[in-house]
Amino acid sequence: MDNKTDSLIFKFAIIFLVFTLIVASISGVATFAAQTSSYKAQREEIAQQVADYLEQMLSADGNDFQIFQKYLISHKDSLLVPHDFDTATMQKARMQYEHILAEKHPQKTLGLDITFDELDEEVKNAYGVYSFEYYLWVFEKARDAFDIAYAYYLIPTGEPYHMYWAFDAIREMYFTKGELYIGLCQDVYNKPEENKCMWEAWDTGKVPQGYDEHDNKLGRTVAYYSPLIINGEKLGVIGVGVEIDAINKAIKQNTRIQITAISLILVFCVIMLLIFIYYRYISKLELLQKQIRIYSEVKDPEVATNIEKHITGKDEIAILSAQVSTMILELENYMKNLLSISQELKTVQQRNDAMSELAVKDALTGIRNRTVYDSEIRKLEWKMEDEPQKFGIAIIDLNLLKRINDTYGHEMGNYALKRLCSIICEIFNHSPVFRTGGDEFTVIIKNSDCDYADSLTEKFNKTIEKLSTDDSLEPWERISAAIGTAVFDTEKDSTVTNVLKRAERLLQTRKKEMKMM
C-alpha cells in the first residue's frame, strides 16, 4: 500500500483521535461549567475586599480626607494636577507642599497649630495637588495589585443621578497653557436603571448585595460598590470593577490544562492500543498484502505456498489468507489464456489508437484536420451560449498552389504547404492551427495570442512578403499567402459565425490587395 493514509492503522488512528478529541472536549466543557460559578464568586469576593480595603484606607485619613474632598469639589476647575505623574512626581509634589507650608506658615503644623481654612491659597493648592496624586495613586496601586479592571471614587454632585468621578481608572486628559493635566471631577449622569447597586450604596450607606454590569471602553465588566462614611458623614461611593473576560481567563487556562492532561493520557492509551492492533492483526494483513503484490508482479504460484506457511490461528485473517492462497492456485490455471487474450486486446487497441490519430491529424502537415476544427468550433459556440468568450479566428490561404503543382510537381506543392504550416505554427504558437482545406489553414486564436492578434497578423504578412520576394529561393520556396484575422467584439459579434465571416471578408480583401501588387 503506497499511500499511508489508506492503511487500516492510519484509519484506526483517525478514529481514535476523533474519540480522544470528543472525550477531551466533553471533559473541558464540563470543567469549564463547573469552575465558572465558583471562580466568579471568588472574583466577586476579591472585588468586595478591594472596595473594603480602599474604604479603610480613606477612612484612616479621617478629617484629612474630608478636608481634601471639600477642597477638591470647590476647586475642581482650577486645581491643576499633571496628567503623567508617577511616584517620583508625587514625592516632589509632597516636598513642594511642605516647603510652601514652611515658607508661608513657619513653625506651623496643619491640624495642630493651624486649620486648613487658615492656610494661604498657595499652600492649599499645593496640598490639593499632592493629595489628589496620592489618593489616585492608592486607587491605581490597588487596581494593579489585585489584578482588577478598575477602581474609582464617586462623589454625588447634588443633582439627581449625577456623580463626580473623583478618582478614575483612566486619567482624563485636560489641556491648558500648553500643558497636559488630569481633568478633575467629571460630572457624569449615571442612569439609575443601569447603576442600581451604585445608587443603593449611596442611598442606604450600606454595601449592596450583587453588582452592576457595564459595557465600556474596558470591555464588559461587573462593578461592586462600598459607601465611604467618615466620622458619621457619608462622603461618596467606592467602585471596583472586574472584567468578565478576566473572570473566564483563569477558568479557560485550567480547562486547557485539564484537556491537555486528559488528551495526553488518552493519546498514550490509543498508541498502546494501536501497537497491539498492528502486531496482532495489521501486520498479518500487510504480510498477506505483500505476498499478493509479489504474485501480481511475478505471477509465481509459489506465493500461495508462502501465504500458507504464515497462517496462524483461526481468526478471520487466517481464513482470508487461506482463501487467497486457493484463489492464486486457481488463477494460475487461467493465467496463460488470460495473457494471450490480453496480448490480442493490446494489439487491437494499438490499431484503434493509430486509426483515431489518423482521423484527427492531417496526413501531410501533421496538424489537426477539418474534423477536429469543426468540433472545436461547435465547442466554442456552446460556450458562447453561456457567456462571451475571448477568441479570434485567422484564415490563411496559400496562393498559387495549383501553379506550383502544375509547374514543379505535387512534391514541391506539398513543400510549400508544409512550409506555410510551419510559419503559421511559429507565429501563432499559443493557439491551435488546423488544415481546413487543400490550400487553407485556420487558427482559433486563444490565450495571449488574442491580445496581440493584429501584431501577429502583421508579423505573418511581413514574413510572407520577405519570402515571396527573395530571389535567392526556388520558385516553390517563395511562398505567397493571404491572411484574414478577426477577434470577437461584443459590440459587433453575437456568434462565432460573425467572427468567421469577418475573417473571410478580410482574407478576400487581402488577396485582392496582393493580386494588385
Side-chain angles (χ1 to χ4, degrees):
M1 185 177 295
D2 296 332
N3 192 345
K4 298 297 183 183
T5 59
D6 293 333
S7 66
L8 284 176
I9 197 67
F10 178 81
K11 292 179 179 178
F12 278 131
I14 294 298
I15 292 173
F16 290 144
L17 176 61
V18 172
F19 171 77
T20 299
L21 292 175
I22 292 174
V23 171
S25 299
I26 293 175
S27 175
V29 171
T31 300
F32 184 83
Q35 291 187 2
T36 296
S37 179
S38 62
Y39 193 79
K40 186 176 181 181
Q42 179 185 354
R43 294 300 295 174
E44 291 174 0
E45 183 179 355
I46 290 175
Q48 291 170 351
Q49 290 174 354
V50 174
D52 292 341
Y53 163 76
L54 291 172
E55 189 271 335
Q56 293 172 12
M57 287 287 293
L58 298 182
S59 297
D61 287 345
N63 291 333
D64 288 343
F65 186 78
Q66 287 178 287
I67 292 171
F68 164 71
Q69 177 170 315
K70 182 179 179 181
Y71 181 79
L72 175 64
I73 297 302
S74 61
H75 292 77
K76 64 182 186 306
D77 297 325
S78 59
L79 192 63
L80 299 178
V81 180
H83 182 273
D84 298 324
F85 77 85
D86 53 18
T87 304
T89 308
M90 183 176 65
Q91 293 298 330
K92 184 177 179 181
R94 178 181 178 179
M95 293 173 63
Q96 185 176 6
Y97 156 66
E98 293 174 347
H99 174 75
I100 297 175
L101 175 62
E103 183 181 282
K104 297 289 185 178
H105 306 284
Q107 307 300 319
K108 299 290 185 182
T109 301
L110 180 61
L112 295 178
D113 304 318
I114 189 171
T115 64
F116 185 80
D117 292 335
E118 295 173 330
L119 293 177
D120 181 82
E121 285 301 321
E122 187 177 356
V123 179
K124 291 180 180 179
N125 183 78
Y127 172 83
V129 172
Y130 162 67
S131 297
F132 186 91
E133 291 181 351
Y134 169 73
Y135 288 119
L136 181 57
W137 176 81
V138 168
F139 274 73
E140 291 178 343
K141 286 300 179 182
R143 177 196 62 193
D144 298 338
F146 290 94
D147 190 25
I148 57 177
Y150 52 81
Y152 54 94
Y153 179 60
L154 307 175
I155 305 171
T157 66
E159 292 293 326
Y161 304 117
H162 279 256
M163 285 282 192
Y164 289 130
W165 286 63
F167 309 130
D168 195 355
I170 300 175
R171 300 181 184 182
E172 295 290 339
M173 292 186 292
Y174 170 62
F175 286 94
T176 183
K177 301 177 181 179
E179 299 291 338
L180 180 61
Y181 298 96
I182 296 177
L184 304 180
C185 296
Q186 301 296 313
D187 187 344
V188 178
Y189 174 69
N190 295 271
K191 296 180 181 179
E193 63 273 14
E194 296 177 2
N195 300 273
K196 293 181 180 180
C197 292
M198 182 189 74
W199 287 114
E200 181 183 345
W202 172 252
D203 293 336
T204 65
K206 297 179 180 180
V207 176
Q209 297 295 322
Y211 53 84
D212 293 332
E213 290 192 20
H214 301 289
D215 284 318
N216 51 41
K217 63 183 71 176
L218 297 176
R220 187 158 184 78
T221 60
V222 292
Y224 302 87
Y225 301 96
S226 176
L228 177 62
I229 302 175
I230 299 177
N231 298 326
E233 181 183 358
K234 189 167 51 175
L235 299 179
V237 176
I238 297 171
V240 176
V242 179
E243 290 181 272
I244 293 179
D245 292 340
I247 293 176
N248 295 331
K249 184 177 180 181
I251 300 175
K252 292 178 180 178
Q253 180 65 22
N254 293 336
T255 302
R256 282 194 293 267
I257 293 173
Q258 180 171 337
I259 291 176
T260 302
I262 294 175
S263 299
L264 290 175
I265 294 172
L266 287 175
V267 167
F268 174 77
C269 294
V270 165
I271 291 174
M272 298 304 296
L273 180 60
L274 288 174
I275 292 174
F276 172 78
I277 292 174
Y278 177 79
Y279 285 105
R280 186 69 179 83
Y281 301 105
I282 303 299
S283 60
K284 294 181 180 180
L285 289 174
E286 287 181 345
L287 180 61
L288 177 61
Q289 178 193 17
K290 179 181 178 181
Q291 295 299 324
I292 294 174
R293 184 173 63 250
I294 292 174
Y295 176 76
S296 67
E297 293 173 354
V298 300
K299 303 299 184 292
D300 185 357
E302 186 65 23
V303 170
T305 304
N306 293 334
I307 293 175
E308 292 177 351
K309 287 180 181 179
H310 293 90
I311 295 177
T312 58
K314 296 181 180 180
D315 56 26
E316 288 82 353
I317 297 177
I319 295 172
L320 176 63
S321 299
Q323 291 175 344
V324 170
S325 175
T326 301
M327 181 185 66
I328 289 175
L329 293 175
E330 291 177 353
L331 287 175
E332 184 63 21
N333 295 329
Y334 300 100
M335 189 59 66
K336 291 183 180 180
N337 290 335
L338 291 175
L339 289 174
S340 176
I341 294 173
S342 176
Q343 186 60 42
E344 292 177 3
L345 289 174
K346 185 176 181 180
T347 301
V348 172
Q349 183 64 43
Q350 290 174 345
R351 291 175 182 172
N352 288 338
D353 291 344
M355 292 177 66
S356 297
E357 188 170 343
L358 289 174
V360 300
K361 281 190 175 182
D362 176 57
L364 176 64
T365 62
I367 63 173
R368 284 165 279 195
N369 60 19
R370 179 78 191 200
T371 301
V372 183
Y373 167 76
D374 292 338
S375 175
E376 290 296 319
I377 290 296
R378 284 195 297 272
K379 291 178 183 178
L380 191 57
E381 288 173 342
W382 293 337
K383 292 180 180 179
M384 288 286 291
E385 292 178 359
D386 296 331
E387 59 179 338
Q389 302 293 309
K390 183 179 180 181
F391 74 97
I393 293 178
I395 305 175
I396 300 97
D397 192 16
L398 177 64
N399 297 327
L400 308 176
L401 177 61
K402 185 175 185 307
R403 182 184 299 178
I404 295 174
N405 286 334
D406 294 344
T407 306
Y408 305 104
H410 285 278
E411 184 176 351
M412 300 310 168
N414 290 342
Y415 170 84
L417 285 169
K418 290 189 285 185
R419 180 66 180 127
L420 176 59
C421 178
S422 176
I423 293 171
I424 297 170
C425 291
E426 287 176 5
I427 293 175
F428 296 92
N429 60 352
H430 295 102
S431 303
V433 181
F434 309 87
R435 186 180 180 192
T436 51
D439 56 0
E440 182 179 277
F441 296 87
T442 302
V443 183
I444 299 179
I445 304 174
K446 296 181 177 181
N447 306 319
S448 59
D449 287 353
C450 205
D451 297 326
Y452 304 99
D454 292 340
S455 59
L456 293 175
T457 301
E458 184 179 355
K459 181 179 179 181
F460 175 84
N461 286 330
K462 289 182 178 179
T463 302
I464 293 300
E465 182 179 356
K466 183 177 180 181
L467 280 174
S468 63
T469 58
D470 190 347
D471 294 335
S472 64
L473 299 177
E474 296 292 339
W476 57 86
E477 294 177 328
R478 296 196 297 270
I479 59 175
S480 173
I483 184 172
T485 304
V487 177
F488 177 77
D489 187 335
T490 54
E491 296 182 357
K492 298 179 181 179
D493 308 309
S494 58
T495 64
V496 178
T497 303
N498 295 142
V499 182
L500 275 169
K501 288 181 178 180
R502 286 200 292 113
E504 289 172 351
R505 288 195 297 269
L506 291 171
L507 173 66
Q508 296 304 320
T509 301
R510 178 61 180 166
K511 290 178 72 73
K512 291 178 181 179
E513 292 175 354
M514 295 179 72
K515 197 170 186 181
M516 292 175 65
M517 291 188 294

